[in-house]
Amino acid sequence: MKKIFLLSFLMALFFSACSNSSSNENSIEKIKQQGIIRIGVFGDKPPFGYLDTQGKNQGYDVYFAKRIAKELLGDETKVQFVLVEAANRVEFLQSNKVDLILANFTKTPEREAVVDFALPYMKVALGVIAPKNSNIYGIDDLKNKTLILNKGTTADAYFTKNMPEIKTIKFDQNTETFAALIGKRGDALSHDNALLFAWVKENPNFEVIIKELGNKDVIAPAVKKGDQAMLDFVNDLIMKLEGENFFHKAYDATLKPFFSDDVSADDVVIEGGKI
């Protein structure tokens, strides 16, 4: 009886794996049949992914997403933007709620174990901001202070692993995180430095106190683990777009207005997946 049960269990796993493999292999054809691609983006992280005053998706990731839809379906409007949060990006891929994630997703070994990353299109490190005249100048000054973090971000992972002694408070959404800093619920905030460069320009009562912290990382599109068809399509497109200097144009259109003059496109973007 046990042997029969074990055999049935192994057969179920085999057919499930075959089904998932077949599903992944056909992902591009399914999207073409449906006539729309579902791409996960942020709705509250300007200038990378956000909703404008008319409720329309805007930002660097959105600019790229529209080009993906145009290449795949012949029309940049044939994309369904699915709003995600940092902590649920992996789950949305695994549960087939999206076909692709373009939500400022930093590539890390931990994430590579559960999703497949395409070639990178942006570089990033962590940064820290605080109110001006806060007397916080570096990491050592964060001791006995409260640091504000976004759940599921690389900043969250970095401080949890490397500096557990620092007191933190965490929020799901970017809007909550920055509102907490403005509301003085914490003394400083850590996030991707490119985002912080943009935020302090719009909020001059705050300043970047640490421009680079931890590893210099890359941001890349993410697909469901094993979805080779989608992975190949996105990689091929990123390499093709290098000939157009596409991501520099995307920078000029979406990021440059948000940054100060001391930040250049080459500080942020990657062309052709070449670091």
Side-chain angles (χ1 to χ4, degrees), residues 216-229:
K216 290 184 178 180
D217 295 313
V218 296
I219 287 171
V223 304
K224 186 178 180 181
K225 198 72 176 173
D227 190 350
Q228 194 64 43

Side-chain angles (χ1 to χ4, degrees), residues 102-173:
L102 289 181
N104 216 231
F105 209 5
T106 304
K107 182 178 178 180
T108 67
E110 294 78 12
R111 290 169 177 170
E112 283 185 288
V114 290
V115 302
D116 285 334
F117 283 100
L119 293 170
Y121 61 99
M122 188 174 168
K123 47 195 169 184
V124 69
L126 296 180
V128 179
I129 59 174
K132 288 184 175 178
N133 303 316
S134 66
N135 295 320
I136 300 174
Y137 305 103
I139 287 295
D140 290 341
D141 298 318
L142 292 175
K143 295 174 182 177
N144 302 317
K145 303 288 185 179
T146 299
L147 181 66
I148 304 170
L149 300 170
N150 226 74
K151 293 179 184 176
T153 60
T154 47
D156 182 7
Y158 179 84
F159 280 97
T160 299
K161 179 180 179 180
N162 298 296
M163 300 178 185
E165 71 278 6
I166 294 178
K167 181 182 177 183
T168 63
I169 54 173
K170 304 177 184 181
F171 299 90
D172 289 313
Q173 298 180 357

Side-chain angles (χ1 to χ4, degrees), residues 3-17:
K3 290 183 178 179
I4 295 174
F5 174 80
L6 179 59
L7 180 60
S8 298
F9 176 73
L10 292 174
M11 289 179 66
L13 285 178
F14 173 77
F15 286 118
S16 175

Side-chain angles (χ1 to χ4, degrees), residues 228-241:
Q228 194 64 43
M230 179 60 73
L231 188 65
D232 290 343
F233 169 80
V234 176
N235 280 339
D236 289 344
L237 178 58
I238 288 174
M239 289 187 286
K240 172 186 172 181
L241 292 176

Side-chain angles (χ1 to χ4, degrees), residues 207-262:
E207 62 183 343
V208 179
I209 58 171
I210 301 175
K211 289 186 176 181
E212 284 192 4
L213 180 67
N215 298 326
K216 290 184 178 180
D217 295 313
V218 296
I219 287 171
V223 304
K224 186 178 180 181
K225 198 72 176 173
D227 190 350
Q228 194 64 43
M230 179 60 73
L231 188 65
D232 290 343
F233 169 80
V234 176
N235 280 339
D236 289 344
L237 178 58
I238 288 174
M239 289 187 286
K240 172 186 172 181
L241 292 176
E242 181 183 12
E244 302 176 17
N245 218 28
F246 174 84
F247 290 104
H248 279 74
K249 293 176 181 176
Y251 175 92
D252 288 342
T254 63
L255 300 183
K256 186 176 181 179
F258 286 82
F259 291 152
S260 57
D261 293 338
D262 59 346

